C-alpha cells in the first residue's frame, strides 16, 4: 500500500515529505479553505514545489471547483497548463445531483490528463470511473460509514435500498473495498485511493480491505506510529546504556 497526505497545509506537507513515507498529496476545496486566503493556483504551485524538492514522482491531486461540465474541463486544462507539474491529477466528482461526470473524465483522460475521480461511495461508481479513464478512484470511507445512520438522509438511504441501487451492507466501506477490487480487474492501471480517514485503524482496515492508497491527515499518520511499548523499549535502552556508561 501507499500513503498520501490529505491536506493543503504547507507545513504538514513538508513535514510528511521530509519523513519520506508519503507518495502523494490530495487536496480538496474544503481543505484549501482552511489555509490563509490567496490565489488557488499559486498555493498549489507551492505544494508541487515541495513535492519536487523532497520526492520523486509524488502525486498531487487538486480539485475543480465547478459542477458545469465545460467549466470542469476548462479548469482542468488550465491547471495543467499553469501548474506544469508532471504528476498532477485533477479531481473530478463522480456525479452531482443526477448528472454523471464520466464524460468529463473521459474527455480529460483522452487529452492525457490524469484524473482522480472523487467523492465515490459505491463499488460501481469506482469501477465506472476507472472504465471512463480515471487513474485514481477515490472512496470516501468515513463519509460512507456516516451515511448508514445520518438522520437527515433517512429518506434517501431507504430510497436507494428500495430502488435496488445499494443494499444495507453497502454502507460498510470495508465491504465496498473488498468488492471493488475484483470489479476493477479489467482496469489494472486504476488505483483506489481511500480518503475520509479519521483514525490509524481506518488506515489499516481500508488498506487490508483492498485500498491501494490511503490518504490521511498528518495527525492520523503520526498517530499510526504511537505505541506505549515502543516508548517503554526506547526508554529502557537509554536507561540501560546510561547505567553501563556510569
Ligand atoms: C480525499 O481525497 C478527500 O480530500 C478527503 O479525504 C475527504 O474526506 P473528509 O473531508 O471526510 O475527511
Amino acid at each position: 500500500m501507499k500513503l498520501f497526505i490529505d491536506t493543503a497545509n504547507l507545513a504538514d506537507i513538508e513535514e510528511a515529505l521530509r519523513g519520506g513515507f508519503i507518495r502523494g498529496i490530495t487536496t480538496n476545496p474544503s481543505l484549501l479553505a482552511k489555509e490563509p486566503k490567496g490565489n488557488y493556483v499559486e498555493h498549489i504551485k507551492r505544494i508541487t514545489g515541495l513535492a519536487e524538492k523532497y520526492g520523486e514522482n509524488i502525486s498531487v491531486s487538486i480539485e475543480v471547483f465547478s459542477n458545469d461540465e465545460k467549466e470542469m474541463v476548462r479548469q482542468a486544462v488550465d491547471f495543467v497548463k499553469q501548474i506544469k507539474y508532471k504528476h498532477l491529477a485533477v479531481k473530478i466528482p463522480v456525479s452531482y445531483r443526477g448528472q454523471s461526470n464520466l464524460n468529463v473524465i473521459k474527455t480529460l483522460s483522452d487529452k492525457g490528463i490524469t484524473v482522480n475521480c472523487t467523492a465515490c461511495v459505491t463499488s460501481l461508481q469506482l469501477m465506472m470511473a476507472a472504465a471512463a479513464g480515471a487513474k485514481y478512484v477515490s472512496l470516501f470511507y468515513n463519509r460512507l460509514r456516516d451515511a448508514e445512520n445520518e438522520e437527515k438522509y433517512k429518506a434517501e438511504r431507504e430510497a436507494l435500498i428500495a430502488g435496488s441501487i445499494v443494499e444495507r451492507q453497502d454502507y460498510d466501506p470495508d465491504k465496498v473495498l473488498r468488492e471493488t477490487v475484483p470489479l476493477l480487474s479489467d482496469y489494472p492501471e486504476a488505483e483506489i485511493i481511500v480518503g475520509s480517514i479519521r483514525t490509524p485503524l481506518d488506515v489499516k482496515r481500508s488498506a487490508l480491505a483492498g485500498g491501494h492508497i490511503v490518504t490521511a491527515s498528518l495527525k492520523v499518520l503520526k498517530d499510526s506510529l504511537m505505541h506505549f511499548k515502543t516508548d517503554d523499549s526506547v526508554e529502557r535502552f537509554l536507561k540501560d546504556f546510561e547505567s553501563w556508561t556510569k
Side-chain angles (χ1 to χ4, degrees), residues 6 26-28 31 91 118 138 140 143 195-198 215:
D6 197 27
T26 51
T27 64
N28 63 42
L31 291 171
K91 285 171 103 173
T118 192
S138 290
F140 280 11
R143 291 196 194 201
S196 193
I197 290 289
R198 295 177 190 156
T215 189

Side-chain angles (χ1 to χ4, degrees), residues 1-61:
M1 70 165 291
K2 284 177 275 188
L3 287 171
F4 283 11
I5 187 167
D6 197 27
T7 185
N9 183 274
L10 299 172
D12 284 3
I13 291 170
E14 184 154 23
E15 184 174 339
L17 284 167
R18 261 194 295 123
F21 60 90
I22 59 159
R23 295 289 172 271
I25 300 152
T26 51
T27 64
N28 63 42
S30 305
L31 291 171
L32 250 306
K34 289 183 185 167
E35 299 308 307
K37 279 193 199 314
N39 181 288
Y40 186 77
V41 167
E42 288 309 315
H43 192 88
I44 302 298
K45 279 186 181 170
R46 282 184 211 111
I47 293 176
T48 56
L50 287 172
E52 269 163 353
K53 179 175 167 193
Y54 286 97
E56 275 176 27
N57 311 331
I58 299 285
S59 164
V60 175
S61 283

Side-chain angles (χ1 to χ4, degrees), residues 59-123:
S59 164
V60 175
S61 283
I62 62 164
E63 188 157 345
V64 292
F65 42 87
S66 168
N67 295 314
D68 176 75
E69 290 172 20
K70 279 196 182 131
E71 178 59 14
M72 282 190 268
V73 172
R74 192 200 65 75
Q75 285 179 10
V77 170
D78 192 52
F79 290 158
V80 171
K81 211 164 97 190
Q82 287 202 63
I83 296 162
K84 293 186 183 58
Y85 180 66
K86 195 175 165 200
H87 306 291
L88 192 75
V90 181
K91 285 171 103 173
I92 304 292
V94 67
S95 62
Y96 182 63
R97 299 199 168 158
Q99 165 198 305
S100 157
N101 289 333
L102 298 187
N103 52 338
V104 175
I105 295 172
K106 166 134 177 64
T107 304
L108 295 177
S109 59
D110 284 352
K111 286 179 190 292
I113 294 175
T114 304
V115 174
N116 174 345
C117 179
T118 192
C120 298
V121 285
T122 74
S123 52

